[in-house]
Amino acid sequence: MGGSSARLLFRQHSTRPKNVEYLYGASVVIPAMEFGVRKIKTLLVKEDQRFGGMKIRGNGEAILSSKILPKISSADMGQDSRALLDYAVALANQREIPVKEVPVSHLDRLAGNRPHQGLVLATLAPKVTHLHALGNCDLDANDVDFEKNVYEVDAGGDGILRLKTREDRKYPFWIALDQIVDPQNLGAILRSAYYFGVDGVVVTERDSAPFSPISSKASAGAMEAMPLYSTVNLGKLLQESAINGWQILGTNTNAKKSDLIPLCHFKQRCDMEVSNDLDDLKTHTPLLRLDSAPTILVLGNEGHGMRTLVSKHCHHHLIITQDQFSPNFKKSRIDSLNVSVAAGILLHELLLSV
């Protein structure tokens, strides 16, 4: 009896295609179809739905009777709505993505019993570009595509990403994640990065949360609209990028006191260095605003923070000081912020200084 049950479980598990990921929920499924960054296999919807403008064949395949997409509001994205399902099926048909009706129990299993709003998208894993360094920024205005307002990127065989500047900010701004292990934190950071217009996020390949459906869900679909990057050796990437002219800002609170800069003083400190109003200006790397140099912001692991081999390649380290908010900070046992919360604060303040 036990043996037959084990074989049955194995057969059920083995029917799930290899290398296929299942995105769940409207906030992820719809952006994945709209942006089309990853290869999509099938849209799965809960059965017994009467879609507006749709006909469901006997084999469960949905057919679009009109090429006009139903209207959908942002409020629909967070709830189980008829308009949401109509839009998803219409969008799939417009993109020529197969649509199948399946029992809700099947969607529950594919989504790991997480809320899916009747929508699950079978896709291949997203493409992740492997980098060794960020290259020099080409400031030749003739190379800028002002209409698209994006960076052209080219990660060639040497693993060096070459960038060209864009109109709204003179230099690119990237985030490097040093062994972020919680997929919820990874997704939340990607969401903030996309919201604030960060140009790229690179993660460590080992000991890091993967770019998974859970991360995509936590990013509210931002992961489906962004190019994804990883590196085998983050310390080497920072070192080579610094040689190529990048400013490296870390967040290691255990760094040398002379390297620590309170975030609330960032803009003031930059202005002081520009005006040569610092006695030790000749003995350290100048702190530059984001519109004056290509910059990488490095965020460390949830537990131990940034590794020493990574921290040593940072020119400066930013800290969010608690005493400016709470007069009783010395009595508090809560002496740090969640890394995704800290990321949002850092991005807002740094980009505000531009």
Side-chain angles (χ1 to χ4, degrees):
M1 183 69 176
S4 62
S5 297
R7 286 194 295 273
L8 177 60
L9 289 173
F10 176 77
R11 285 199 300 271
Q12 289 177 339
H13 178 73
S14 63
T15 57
R16 188 165 178 165
K18 293 182 179 180
N19 302 322
V20 174
E21 295 186 349
Y22 295 93
L23 305 179
Y24 54 91
S27 64
V28 178
V29 169
I30 289 177
M33 291 193 292
E34 287 178 333
F35 289 101
V37 174
R38 67 166 83 200
K39 187 174 181 179
I40 299 172
K41 298 179 71 67
T42 309
L43 173 65
L44 305 173
V45 298
K46 60 183 179 181
E47 62 183 356
D48 298 326
Q49 293 298 315
R50 296 183 178 180
F51 299 105
M54 307 290 165
K55 294 186 294 183
I56 305 295
R57 286 179 176 172
N59 62 359
E61 183 180 355
I63 301 299
L64 179 65
S65 60
S66 172
K67 293 185 178 181
I68 301 176
L69 289 177
K71 291 184 178 180
I72 185 173
S73 67
S74 57
D76 290 319
M77 297 292 283
Q79 57 187 333
D80 295 318
S81 73
R82 168 75 173 275
L84 195 65
L85 292 167
D86 286 352
Y87 182 86
V89 174
L91 181 61
N93 277 268
Q94 190 181 74
R95 300 290 195 273
E96 298 184 347
I97 299 169
V99 181
K100 288 188 177 181
E101 281 189 303
V102 297
V104 173
S105 59
H106 185 59
L107 298 180
D108 291 340
R109 181 170 62 84
L110 294 178
N113 291 315
R114 301 180 184 92
H116 50 70
Q117 299 165 281
L119 295 170
V120 171
L121 193 66
T123 75
L124 297 184
K127 177 185 176 182
V128 180
T129 302
H130 304 284
L131 300 179
H132 297 302
L134 300 184
N136 290 304
C137 294
D138 186 353
L139 301 184
D140 185 354
N142 294 327
D143 291 331
V144 180
D145 189 339
F146 290 107
E147 292 184 1
K148 292 185 178 179
N149 202 33
V150 297
Y151 287 92
E152 290 185 25
V153 296
D154 174 24
D158 56 3
I160 298 177
L161 192 69
R162 296 170 178 82
L163 305 99
K164 297 181 181 181
T165 55
R166 69 185 191 186
E167 183 180 18
D168 62 342
R169 193 166 60 246
K170 187 176 181 182
Y171 291 98
F173 176 48
W174 277 57
I175 295 176
L177 303 181
D178 185 21
Q179 297 186 342
I180 299 298
V181 297
D182 188 334
Q184 299 285 348
N185 283 334
L186 173 60
I189 293 171
L190 292 175
R191 180 176 185 173
S192 294
Y194 185 80
Y195 180 85
F196 285 112
V198 172
D199 300 294
V201 178
V202 58
V203 306
T204 49
E205 289 188 11
R206 297 183 59 185
D207 300 319
S208 292
F211 293 113
S212 66
I214 296 176
S215 299
S216 186
K217 181 67 172 177
S219 77
M223 195 181 96
E224 303 306 316
M226 303 171 65
L228 306 176
Y229 302 98
S230 67
T231 183
V232 174
N233 190 330
L234 180 56
K236 187 70 173 177
L237 180 143
L238 297 178
Q239 182 182 34
E240 294 294 329
S241 299
I243 293 174
N244 291 332
W246 288 72
Q247 172 178 236
I248 315 297
L249 300 179
T251 51
N252 183 5
T253 56
N254 296 319
K256 292 189 303 182
K257 188 175 181 180
S258 59
D259 290 336
L260 292 175
I261 300 172
L263 180 62
C264 56
H265 297 159
F266 176 78
K267 186 175 182 180
Q268 178 185 6
R269 177 69 178 270
C270 291
D271 293 340
M272 291 174 66
E273 298 208 10
V274 170
S275 62
N276 295 323
D277 197 18
L278 287 175
D279 295 334
D280 61 343
L281 187 59
K282 295 182 180 180
T283 64
H284 76 287
T285 303
L287 179 66
L288 302 173
R289 298 196 332 181
L290 303 190
D291 58 355
S292 300
T295 301
I296 302 174
L297 173 67
V298 188
L299 300 171
N301 173 269
E302 295 93 335
H304 54 72
M306 293 177 59
R307 292 172 293 163
T308 302
L309 291 175
V310 173
S311 178
K312 72 177 185 179
H313 295 295
C314 298
H315 299 128
H316 304 278
H317 289 275
L318 302 175
I319 56 173
I320 302 173
T321 52
Q322 188 181 13
D323 56 326
Q324 64 180 305
F325 302 106
S326 172
N328 299 319
F329 74 99
K330 291 183 179 180
K331 301 178 182 179
S332 175
R333 293 183 180 273
I334 303 175
D335 59 356
S336 63
L337 292 170
N338 172 276
V339 64
S340 64
V341 174
I345 296 173
L346 286 161
L347 293 179
H348 179 268
E349 291 299 313
L350 290 174
L351 293 170
L352 195 65
S353 70
V354 175

